[in-house]
Amino acid sequence: MATQRKYTSRRGLLATAAFAMGAVLVPGAAQAAPADTVGAKRNPVRALEQAAHPLRSTEPGRNTTDLRALGAMIGDAKVVGLGEATHGSHEFFAMKERVFRYLVEEKGFTTFALEVSWSAGLQIDEYVHTGKGEARKIAKETLANSPWDREEFVSLIKWMRNYNRNHPDRMAHFMGDDIGAPAVSDAFFGRVTDYVKQNHPGTLPQLNKLYTGLRPIDDVFAYLKKPLVERQRLATQAQRALELISGLKGSGGDAFDWAEQNARSIAQTTKFLTLNPEDPESNAAAQRFRDEVMAQNVSWWQRSTGQKVLLSAHNDHVAYVASNPEAYSKTQGSFLRDTMGKNYLPIGFTFNQGSFLSKDAALGGEWKKFTVPAAKPGSNEATLDKVRYRNFYLDARNAPAPVRAWLNTARPTLNVGTQFPEEPRDTAIAKSFDVLIHLHEVREADKLKR
């Protein structure tokens, strides 16, 4: 019954669409008078509606006038983190393409960053620049066994390729900011050794010796079965290889910068793989290190290229504070805020109900469909879903005071990662995100066509 009332009110909005859209075009929060604080505590929905900007659609390729207020909220930020409350929901993925298109066309953004390996990102970037290969095959090769191995990301990659074909003077880029999993190929090691062979051949024997036993890492899960002492030794070798490359800095130029960054990715990966999967403290430290690495890689890309970046990752990565601080003691978003200040802006997602992809166990297993019913009373999502718009966004920084107070209060909120079931955890939205997008319902992402 509640869902039916929501749809009915939405249909009623169509009659006043022109008037409502006029409000959306105004930058900043809605222009209604501030709600009474005491009244807002009794009825937060009414106050939230004053701050909410309705979304016409989550699908890319539609009219983007409803995103203008979002553009104003983003302002001059150089890196925008766009989260997802689940891995593997169609609407989150589709909305990311829609927002990225808008930011490219209207806000000067050119890079889409994803929490996949640095090397996978380079492969996709080569395709969107050159067109060599086929988008679906590239996606399958680089995103296999991940929740992004889906049609929604094929759509994004195809759009980027088409955009670059039509804008050769201002190309879009795809980057992976994560460690080298599930593999670090021989070809990727070659990006480092080939540079040394061409520019510093006398150093090549020493570099090859340091990479002995490491090149390639065909399967990180098999690699983790090596004795810890051996993994630590190999990580030390990879770090020494990075230091060797960094010592060649006098050669300068873009080729050196990329060779050094590629060597850094190898060192980052081998250090991460010194974790002990049986030790919870080791896992927590490894996760913190992983978030730090992802932040470092995004920062390096932004500094080196000067490009504005849309960073796509789970809510618990892009947020200033994770919903599960025991597992994520310091997030990618927190590291980025440390280095970039207000040039970093995180956007979180919530949803009321629907389907998504997750796994029975975090390590191994298949990504499969799970479904959750409407959010329980008392949760953040249950209240947000009472707002009269089916889908909407709001600025947690500049909303009326009663809304900010509500958003700064921790309540149960569902964030699902690589394993389900997962219980909602207390989250204060405004302490995690600058902007929030709430969706009424989501469905599982589309399986990649063969």
Side-chain angles (χ1 to χ4, degrees), residues 106-339:
E106 303 294 338
K107 297 287 290 183
F109 281 63
T110 51
T111 296
F112 185 94
L114 182 64
E115 56 171 309
V116 295
S117 71
W118 177 263
S119 57
L122 293 178
Q123 286 181 257
I124 298 172
D125 194 52
E126 181 177 359
Y127 169 75
V128 300
H129 274 230
T130 67
K132 294 178 181 178
E134 193 276 324
R136 186 167 280 103
K137 183 178 179 182
I138 296 293
K140 185 60 184 174
E141 290 175 356
T142 56
L143 306 177
N145 301 316
S146 80
W148 306 287
D149 179 18
R150 301 288 152 175
E151 282 297 319
E152 291 83 357
F153 277 91
V154 173
S155 173
L156 170 66
I157 293 168
K158 284 183 174 180
W159 180 84
M160 293 178 72
R161 175 60 199 143
N162 289 334
Y163 179 88
N164 287 345
R165 187 181 293 114
N166 295 322
H167 301 83
D169 57 335
R170 186 180 176 275
M171 287 193 167
H173 291 265
F174 193 108
M175 76 161 290
D177 63 10
D178 211 339
I179 60 162
V184 184
S185 69
D186 184 75
F188 184 71
F189 277 90
R191 289 177 180 265
V192 182
T193 57
D194 288 352
Y195 167 81
V196 173
K197 181 179 181 180
Q198 294 170 14
N199 296 276
H200 305 276
T203 306
L204 185 60
Q206 185 179 359
L207 180 62
N208 283 335
K209 183 177 180 181
L210 289 170
Y211 281 155
T212 299
L214 265 175
R215 177 180 185 177
I217 301 175
D218 291 319
D219 182 346
V220 296
F221 297 106
Y223 185 91
L224 282 170
K225 294 179 181 178
K226 294 177 182 289
L228 177 60
V229 172
E230 182 179 356
R231 285 182 278 133
Q232 290 172 333
R233 175 180 59 80
L234 292 171
T236 299
Q237 289 179 206
Q239 179 61 31
R240 288 176 178 169
L242 171 59
E243 293 167 359
L244 179 65
I245 299 296
S246 298
L248 306 175
K249 194 171 184 65
S251 59
D254 287 346
F256 166 79
D257 292 340
W258 284 96
E260 182 184 38
Q261 175 61 16
N262 292 334
R264 183 176 295 113
S265 177
I266 294 169
Q268 291 168 341
T269 299
T270 55
K271 181 177 179 180
F272 178 82
L273 293 175
T274 60
L275 68 88
N276 179 359
E278 306 302 322
D279 180 3
E281 290 187 6
S282 175
N283 285 329
Q287 186 57 65
R288 177 189 170 98
F289 177 69
R290 179 183 170 221
D291 273 71
E292 183 177 15
V293 162
M294 292 193 293
Q296 288 173 346
N297 290 337
V298 170
S299 295
W300 181 91
W301 183 287
Q302 200 286 316
R303 289 194 314 271
S304 300
T305 66
Q307 297 166 8
K308 292 184 177 181
V309 179
L310 179 67
L311 164 62
S312 172
H314 192 274
N315 278 351
D316 277 340
H317 292 307
V318 304
Y320 294 134
V321 180
S323 63
N324 183 2
E326 295 83 9
Y328 303 91
S329 61
K330 189 173 176 68
T331 63
Q332 182 181 14
S334 179
F335 283 113
L336 285 170
R337 178 170 57 179
D338 290 346
T339 58

Side-chain angles (χ1 to χ4, degrees), residues 1-17 20 45 49 54 384-392 440:
M1 185 64 69
T3 301
Q4 181 59 41
R5 286 199 298 271
K6 192 174 182 74
Y7 281 114
T8 302
S9 65
R10 250 179 247 117
R11 287 196 295 269
L13 287 175
L14 295 177
T16 57
V45 176
E49 287 180 343
L384 290 165
D385 209 59
K386 292 178 182 178
V387 171
R388 67 179 181 269
Y389 309 121
R390 177 181 178 84
N391 302 318
F392 64 91
H440 171 64

